[in-house]
Amino acid sequence: MSEINFARYRAYVDARVEANNAMIALLAGSRLAAHNLQLHNGSPHQLPGLFPAVKDIDRFNLLPDRASQLLLDADAHLAAVAIPYALAVYEAFVKDAITMLEDAGYAVSHARGALNAGRMHTTFFDAAGVAEPADVIPLFHVLRCLRNAQIHHAGQVTQEVTEALDSLTQLQRERWEQLTMLPLDSVIKDRKLHFTIGHLIAAFAVTKEAARRINEVLRQKLSRETWAKFAVADFAESAEHPRNSRQWKKGLLGFARFHYLGGLNLSSAELELAARASGFWTATSW
């Protein structure tokens, strides 16, 4: 699937990558720290005494053995943090995509709750007149319900969670288990949520794929004129050459070829019309 890398989508991708890298860095850091602490197994000295030069080490005032075990068990805590993080970044993008449809003249629902996480996909796809992707959106809802249970119910398994899990088809279940590398019901243990690194991976993978599907719908539903206007405004925001110059025009054409792909292939004439309509190009000749 070829994506259109318009400004808001690039911002979403950058935020998702940054969040993903931060979580993986914390995970790797916890394991590296646990590995290094093995050198101090059995020591009677607490961490501040062993590593006095480490900033804020006094907040982790434990013996090495206990600290090492906590660090090795950090996966569950990081996943519990990462799922809300990944979903928050993604949900902001979906809401902006809904606004893009509305600005383009599509009838968007303004019913109460139409933009909340549970209904935003229905709002977007109904406005576009396209069916929700059955292979990815239900997995998002599983993540959403897990997030809600973690945040609002202290990790207790809710009816919302069990219903979301039970509603998955066999294919959806297989996809979830492929992403998490675990059986579906492993996320529940003693009526509590039990997160692993697999759930962290699933959170970023599912939202990445769902965003790509939304990108594709926008490509299909927004007019070429609209995309040309987006490309011009996007380029003009960071263009270094003066308007109406040969370099500005050349830069715009290259920018559109690089970022506004997805089968668009915006022509020079289309970009000229958009640039003139937007007031970014006022010279007589193009």
Side-chain angles (χ1 to χ4, degrees):
M1 184 187 302
S2 184
E3 301 165 349
I4 301 177
N5 291 310
F6 56 96
R8 182 61 186 88
Y9 188 69
R10 296 199 307 275
Y12 160 71
V13 171
D14 289 345
R16 188 197 72 229
V17 170
E18 183 177 4
N20 181 70
N21 288 344
M23 292 299 105
I24 296 302
L26 290 172
L27 176 65
S30 67
R31 291 178 176 174
L32 286 169
H35 177 77
N36 288 335
L37 284 176
Q38 291 178 2
L39 300 174
H40 300 276
N41 282 349
S43 172
H45 302 290
Q46 294 180 324
L47 296 187
L50 294 171
F51 306 101
V54 176
K55 185 178 179 180
D56 295 326
I57 193 64
D58 56 319
R59 300 178 185 275
F60 204 34
N61 195 21
L62 299 170
L63 292 172
D65 292 4
R66 175 58 177 154
S68 180
Q69 186 57 52
L70 287 172
L71 289 165
L72 288 172
D73 293 338
D75 295 25
H77 300 287
L78 286 175
V81 171
I83 290 174
Y85 195 171
L87 266 59
V89 171
Y90 170 71
E91 288 166 21
F93 168 71
V94 177
K95 292 173 184 177
D96 285 344
I98 292 171
T99 299
M100 291 173 68
L101 283 181
E102 185 168 31
D103 289 346
Y106 287 88
V108 171
S109 172
H110 288 279
R112 184 175 181 180
L115 296 182
N116 66 32
R119 294 182 59 188
M120 63 184 186
H121 290 105
T122 299
T123 299
F124 176 83
F125 288 104
D126 280 357
V130 176
E132 293 184 20
D135 59 337
V136 65
I137 302 304
L139 302 187
F140 167 83
H141 287 303
V142 170
L143 291 164
R144 176 182 62 82
C145 295
L146 293 174
R147 183 267 310 274
N148 291 348
Q150 179 64 32
I151 292 177
H152 302 300
H153 299 277
Q156 294 287 339
V157 176
T158 62
Q159 182 177 350
E160 184 183 45
V161 168
T162 56
E163 289 177 351
L165 295 174
D166 291 343
S167 69
L168 295 182
T169 66
Q170 184 60 33
L171 287 177
Q172 292 162 354
R173 178 183 181 123
E174 290 174 0
R175 179 56 177 158
W176 176 266
E177 293 179 343
Q178 180 185 39
L179 289 172
T180 62
M181 300 168 287
L182 289 167
L184 179 68
D185 57 7
S186 67
V187 74
I188 299 175
K189 186 176 182 180
D190 299 326
R191 296 299 301 170
K192 292 275 291 184
L193 297 182
H194 180 66
F195 292 116
T196 68
I197 182 62
H199 300 112
L200 184 154
I201 292 170
F204 285 103
V206 168
T207 52
K208 175 183 179 180
E209 182 59 27
R212 294 182 69 194
R213 302 298 181 84
I214 288 173
N215 186 298
E216 172 64 13
V217 171
L218 291 173
R219 183 194 71 79
Q220 295 174 2
K221 297 300 178 176
L222 300 187
S223 68
R224 294 180 63 83
E225 179 183 3
T226 297
W227 283 119
K229 288 180 179 178
F230 283 158
V232 169
D234 193 358
F235 169 73
E237 188 171 338
S238 58
E240 297 180 355
H241 298 293
R243 297 177 188 177
N244 297 317
S245 68
R246 177 174 173 274
Q247 293 87 349
W248 194 94
K249 172 187 172 181
K250 184 178 179 181
L252 170 61
L253 297 178
F255 182 88
R257 281 195 299 269
F258 185 78
H259 289 294
Y260 287 76
L261 304 173
L264 283 177
N265 297 319
L266 294 170
S267 68
S268 176
E270 288 174 310
L271 292 169
E272 178 188 359
L273 286 174
R276 291 188 183 280
S278 303
F280 289 112
W281 188 271
T282 57
T284 303
S285 62
W286 173 249

